[in-house]
Amino acid sequence: MEFNPEAEEKLGFKKDAVIGEPASILYENPTERKEIMDIVNKFGVARNREVHLLSKNGDVHHVSLTISQLKNDAGEIIGTVGISKDISEERMLQFKLIQSEKMAGIGTLASGIAHEINNPLAGILGMAEAILDENDLRKVNSYARDIVRYTLETTAIVKELLTYSRQTQNESISTIDMAVILENSIKMAKHTVDFASITIISDMKKGCWTSANAGEMQQVFINLIVNAIHAMEEKGGKLILSCYKNDDSIKAVVTDTGIGIKKDYLSQIYNPFFTTKPVGKGTGIGLYVVYKIVTKYNGHIDVISDEGKGTSFVLTFPIVESISIQENYSESKEMVTADYIIDDTDNSQFNLFNP
């Protein structure tokens, strides 16, 4: 067994102090350990799973973990073995990039909303001024009704903005209905781009529960919807949105009938700073952020595009209720070797963190 020097340096524990202890002591959230072992016991291996390990002084390390069953010559399972890589710095850079894109999105959104609010406010001011000089009670009542209507329009816009603002400020993960998130994203996107020549077709199946941060997921869909509208801005078209359950996953699909994506570009669209938009209309960060957020919550994203005919982005996420695998290992029989558990008769050595 080996709790190697790199692990000792990163986590602050001496090998002699942790060998023989349950592996869960190294986790910020011990349930992460159980979830990974559930997968290993079911499939034999868990690859590139992101976990959070605690150092002795309380620092949290973001770690990419691959762990598999360890078998003897007779094919009997005697423990587990694997390797981890500290990705804390990478995650911090991604976090800053996502926050930067989020703030840029809020700036664009605020500009659009300011324009939308200005129209009903101008109406309210005009009606109020008219009432001051009007003696005809019927006209006064008509102006008052207009003021109420304009006020309700403004209130609805502000309510949507406040909801989005609370979601973007809240960094916690919760159980969310992806169909509801997608519906709210349409409302917010309408404040950002012009939908005048766009026909919206939606098919939302409620109850598409998954685990994620609501603000980040809304950021994902607003980005995809805005991109779809940009792809149709010259000739107009259809924006088709759907969300539904599919076996043990949920699917959220954003489809447009726009210009499509060239085949040569499909392998590059998630690269940071890659964009086909004119200077000043795109940063090349949007789809990169979309990809990082989706994969952060154990989802994956597929793109189907036909140049000149349109594009579909298909997002797949695990259903919350389906994450329940029967536990079939005993914590009491485990021995800690770095992040991996192997029987104390084994002499295998491996790295916890890649040097």
Side-chain angles (χ1 to χ4, degrees):
M1 299 185 297
E2 182 69 20
F3 189 85
N4 66 18
E6 184 75 8
E8 289 184 319
E9 179 182 347
K10 290 284 186 179
L11 299 179
F13 292 102
K14 292 299 181 181
K15 178 175 66 174
D16 294 342
V18 294
I19 296 300
E21 295 293 330
S24 56
I25 67 168
L26 298 178
Y27 285 75
E28 180 187 30
N29 181 0
T31 59
E32 286 186 344
R33 172 68 186 174
K34 178 187 178 301
E35 290 173 0
I36 288 177
M37 289 307 301
D38 285 342
I39 294 171
V40 172
N41 288 328
K42 184 174 183 180
F43 300 107
V45 63
R47 293 187 176 89
N48 300 319
R49 303 285 298 188
E50 185 172 335
V51 299
H52 304 88
L53 302 186
L54 275 177
S55 65
K56 189 175 181 179
N57 63 8
D59 291 338
V60 177
H61 292 267
H62 294 257
V63 172
S64 177
L65 166 66
T66 294
I67 183 170
S68 60
Q69 293 173 342
L70 182 67
K71 299 180 180 180
N72 60 19
D73 293 339
E76 300 169 329
I77 299 173
I78 59 173
T80 58
V81 62
I83 190 168
S84 295
K85 180 181 179 181
D86 192 336
I87 56 173
S88 299
E89 185 174 349
E90 177 185 341
R91 283 292 172 264
M92 179 56 67
L93 291 174
Q94 288 178 2
F95 173 77
K96 290 181 178 179
L97 189 59
I98 290 173
Q99 292 299 106
S100 175
E101 176 70 8
K102 184 186 297 183
M103 295 306 297
I106 289 176
T108 303
L109 182 64
S111 176
I113 287 180
H115 176 74
E116 287 199 38
I117 288 179
N118 187 60
N119 291 333
L121 284 180
I124 291 171
L125 179 61
M127 296 299 102
E129 290 176 341
I131 287 176
L132 291 175
D133 300 322
E134 185 58 63
N135 295 319
D136 188 330
L137 185 59
R138 288 178 298 175
K139 289 186 177 181
V140 170
N141 288 336
S142 176
Y143 294 152
R145 284 193 295 271
D146 286 338
I147 289 175
V148 171
R149 177 167 57 85
Y150 286 134
T151 301
L152 290 175
E153 289 178 5
T154 305
T155 301
I157 294 172
V158 172
K159 183 178 179 180
E160 290 172 5
L161 181 60
L162 288 174
T163 299
Y164 179 66
S165 177
R166 283 193 294 267
Q167 289 178 338
T168 55
Q169 291 175 15
N170 180 13
E171 299 296 337
S172 64
I173 297 174
S174 60
T175 300
I176 59 174
D177 187 343
M178 200 64 77
V180 174
I181 296 294
L182 188 48
E183 286 180 344
N184 291 339
S185 299
I186 300 171
K187 296 177 183 178
M188 299 310 297
K190 286 181 177 179
H191 300 309
T192 305
V193 288
D194 184 8
F195 277 70
S197 60
I198 306 299
T199 300
I200 300 176
I201 301 173
S202 62
D203 181 19
M204 308 295 181
K205 307 299 184 185
K206 296 294 177 64
C208 293
W209 301 104
T210 191
S211 181
N213 173 264
E216 289 187 341
M217 290 314 307
Q218 192 160 326
Q219 184 181 356
V220 163
F221 289 120
I222 290 175
N223 205 315
L224 292 177
I225 292 169
V226 169
N227 281 354
I229 301 304
H230 285 165
M232 298 184 287
E233 60 187 356
E234 290 186 7
K235 299 180 180 180
K238 296 178 181 178
L239 176 66
I240 305 167
L241 305 165
S242 61
C243 190
Y244 57 92
K245 295 181 181 180
N246 181 34
D247 297 328
D248 61 348
S249 65
I250 61 172
K251 301 278 187 181
V253 187
V254 178
T255 299
D256 67 71
T257 58
I259 59 175
I261 303 171
K262 293 182 179 180
K263 289 183 179 180
D264 294 343
Y265 294 158
L266 287 175
S267 62
Q268 305 177 64
I269 59 174
Y270 303 122
N271 293 343
F273 308 113
F274 175 82
T275 181
T276 59
K277 295 179 181 179
V279 176
K281 294 204 70 175
T283 62
I285 296 296
L287 285 179
Y288 172 77
V289 170
V290 166
Y291 176 80
K292 288 301 179 183
I293 293 176
V294 170
T295 55
K296 174 181 178 181
Y297 297 113
N298 300 317
H300 66 265
I301 180 169
D302 298 302
V303 59
I304 304 167
S305 188
D306 191 351
E307 191 174 354
K309 295 184 178 180
T311 302
S312 290
F313 283 91
V314 183
L315 281 61
T316 305
F317 294 93
I319 295 178
V320 167
E321 300 93 324
S322 68
I323 307 176
S324 178
I325 304 172
Q326 182 65 34
E327 181 177 355
N328 58 5
Y329 76 102
S330 174
E331 181 85 72
S332 62
K333 295 180 181 179
E334 294 178 345
M335 302 293 289
V336 173
T337 71
D339 186 42
Y340 309 97
I341 311 307
I342 54 182
D343 190 272
D344 58 3
T345 60
D346 183 79
N347 293 316
S348 300
Q349 296 185 0
F350 51 90
N351 294 329
L352 170 60
F353 296 96
N354 285 340

